Amino acid sequence: MRRELLQQVRRVVIKVGSRVLTVEGGGLDYDAITRLCDEMAGLRQQGIEVILVSSGAVAAGRDALRSADTTLTIPQKQAAAAVGQPLLMQAYQQACTRHGLVTAQILLTAEDLANRNRFLNARTTLEALLTAGALPVINENDSVAVAEIKFGDNDNLSALVTSLAEADLLLILTDIEGLYSANPASDPAAELIPLVRSITREIERMAGGSGSNVGTGGMATKVTAAKKSARFGVPTILAPGKQPGVISAAVSGQEIGTLFLPATDGLNRRKHWIAYTLRPAGKVLVDAGAQRALVEKGTSLLPSGITGVEGRFERGRCVRICGPDGAEIARGLADYSSSEIQLIAGHKSAEIEQLLGYRYGDDVVHRDNLVLINSI
Ligand code: GLU
């Protein structure tokens, strides 16, 4: 069953916690980083795209600064992250070079992803990096993020990145085997739970609080991250990051760690959100050919089939898509603003760059962000 579910995986977000990346007593574990990079390069060779969400900056920085303080203040942590982040990237870059793999750093705050424009910009940057064959390495932008603009922990960040990148698997690598029925450190009867069909209160209770003082996330934040990605229709695997071969074992569907199944209505929720929650900010008119392609083939909306635009809207807003008779056929999130659409309407996607001087992508509305009216 795992194998079947995971066969479809083409893009995975891998989250690695500080405990997996550091040696006992602090400092980066270069052997672990090398092994993880070898395994991620292996996935890329199989045609699976990888986005890494990595912690470890604060731990690496704290070690480099030789700080004697056992507990750091928030500014001290931010300073440690600023010192540690380049060390972390250097370690990834060095380990990836052997595979001809280039790494790219993206630092985000929660505020960035809450803003629709920045969300879309981060998405298109990620797409461009993956297309170029690079390994995006994402972390929270700790030096600017304080409480109200923070993700709080990288487990939460990894769930949001899963939705941002429209990945089809979230793999969280941590310092224990997976989710246990009780805390394995204190309860000898605790058992590993291999499969979670639905994240109930009972499951959340089992996850308890944080068990480690190196990273900020405990089991509870991992289960919350799994719950979030389940809502997007994406499975999560929680697996032991120090175990050699863990990445390929998990992605190929071997019984390792805990698999959280996606919610069955995951996709519908998003479609409902687009169709019902968002207020359309304008109209995009399309010709009969585009209407057929959208309705019968489920394609994205390209500029070539657009005959006109009504209303003024920014990129990222929800728009009505109307056929030649004026009736609404679909709703979706526009990747271009109304004034940009005016300029590219009726033209081939290949001409966008020439017409605007830049391009976000080929589609005006990507099919993942498009809901047919008759399907809801
Ligand atoms: N962003 C922090 C770091 O790189 C870690 C946050 C977390 O562990 O969740 O050290």
Side-chain angles (χ1 to χ4, degrees):
M1 132 89 165
R2 271 206 197 203
R3 260 175 226 280
E4 279 146 38
L5 182 74
L6 299 175
Q7 238 166 28
Q8 314 294 335
V9 172
R10 287 285 159 268
R11 182 175 289 181
V12 54
V13 171
I14 301 180
K15 188 263 167 176
V16 192
S18 299
R19 278 236 170 161
V20 176
L21 297 168
T22 49
V23 289
E24 202 75 41
L28 291 174
D29 182 344
Y30 290 93
D31 291 341
I33 290 176
T34 303
R35 184 179 52 74
L36 291 169
C37 290
D38 291 349
E39 293 187 29
M40 289 188 286
L43 284 190
R44 285 229 51 136
Q45 269 158 17
Q46 292 168 41
I48 298 175
E49 292 174 325
V50 183
I51 296 161
L52 180 63
V53 174
S54 178
S55 302
V58 173
R62 181 196 287 243
D63 182 64
L65 290 169
R66 306 201 183 289
S67 161
D69 298 330
T70 45
T71 52
L72 300 184
T73 61
I74 289 184
Q76 280 174 325
K77 275 193 190 162
Q78 292 179 294
V83 171
Q85 183 64 27
L87 300 174
L88 188 64
M89 285 309 297
Q90 197 176 30
Y92 281 122
Q93 184 57 66
Q94 241 157 35
C96 283
T97 303
R98 307 188 309 140
H99 303 281
L101 193 57
V102 173
T103 54
Q105 169 182 274
I106 300 184
L107 299 178
L108 293 171
T109 64
E111 231 182 17
D112 293 329
L113 295 193
N115 176 305
R116 191 75 202 159
N117 243 329
R118 291 197 223 163
F119 177 93
L120 288 171
N121 286 332
R123 169 180 285 176
T124 41
T125 304
L126 264 182
E127 285 297 339
L129 284 169
L130 292 172
T131 305
L135 172 70
V137 183
I138 302 178
N139 198 354
E140 174 139 38
N141 194 350
D142 289 306
S143 55
V144 299
V146 286
E148 61 279 18
I149 61 164
K150 248 176 127 38
F151 293 105
D153 58 77
N154 276 358
D155 297 322
N156 182 26
L157 172 61
S158 69
L160 292 168
V161 168
T162 301
S163 117
L164 174 73
E166 284 162 4
D168 27 36
L169 175 67
L170 170 60
L171 173 58
I172 300 182
L173 298 180
T174 182
D175 60 339
I176 63 168
E177 298 293 309
L179 178 68
Y180 280 85
S181 56
N183 186 349
S186 56
D187 186 345
E191 276 178 26
L192 179 72
I193 301 171
L195 178 69
V196 174
R197 286 184 190 278
S198 148
I199 300 167
T200 56
R201 271 172 193 277
E202 173 69 4
I203 294 290
E204 286 175 309
R205 197 189 48 74
M206 281 175 193
S210 175
S212 140
N213 53 12
V214 181
T216 49
M219 209 29 77
T221 54
K222 291 172 179 57
V223 170
T224 306
K227 192 170 170 179
K228 280 194 179 147
S229 52
R231 285 215 190 110
F232 308 134
V234 177
T236 298
I237 298 176
L238 190 58
K242 290 268 191 194
Q243 186 171 311
V246 59
I247 293 181
S248 65
V251 176
S252 65
Q254 289 174 37
E255 291 296 323
I256 189 169
T258 301
L259 168 68
F260 298 82
L261 292 184
T264 44
D265 62 347
L267 205 62
N268 290 342
R269 275 178 201 259
R270 183 175 164 75
K271 300 229 160 182
H272 273 82
W273 175 68
I274 291 174
Y276 295 124
T277 314
L278 300 179
R279 283 236 316 272
K283 262 189 204 173
V284 175
L285 312 174
V286 304
D287 63 21
Q291 172 164 359
R292 257 199 315 279
L294 295 181
V295 176
E296 290 167 22
K297 299 197 195 117
T299 58
S300 298
L301 176 62
L302 301 175
S304 56
I306 298 179
T307 54
V309 58
E310 287 177 14
R312 288 171 66 92
F313 51 87
E314 291 304 309
R315 162 173 143 77
R317 295 299 300 273
C318 176
V319 293
R320 294 180 207 276
I321 300 169
C322 301
D325 62 356
E328 183 175 354
I329 50 175
R331 244 175 232 197
L333 306 181
D335 277 332
Y336 287 90
S337 70
S338 52
S339 44
E340 288 165 336
I341 296 174
Q342 227 141 32
L343 293 170
I344 61 177
H347 290 275
K348 292 207 170 66
S349 298
E351 297 172 279
I352 297 177
E353 172 93 48
Q354 200 188 336
L355 292 163
L356 301 180
Y358 53 85
R359 62 195 276 277
Y360 297 116
D362 286 347
D363 319 311
V364 171
V365 179
H366 190 273
R367 64 188 148 104
D368 292 342
N369 296 327
L370 190 144
V371 194
L372 293 175
I373 291 303
N374 61 10
S375 73
I376 49 174

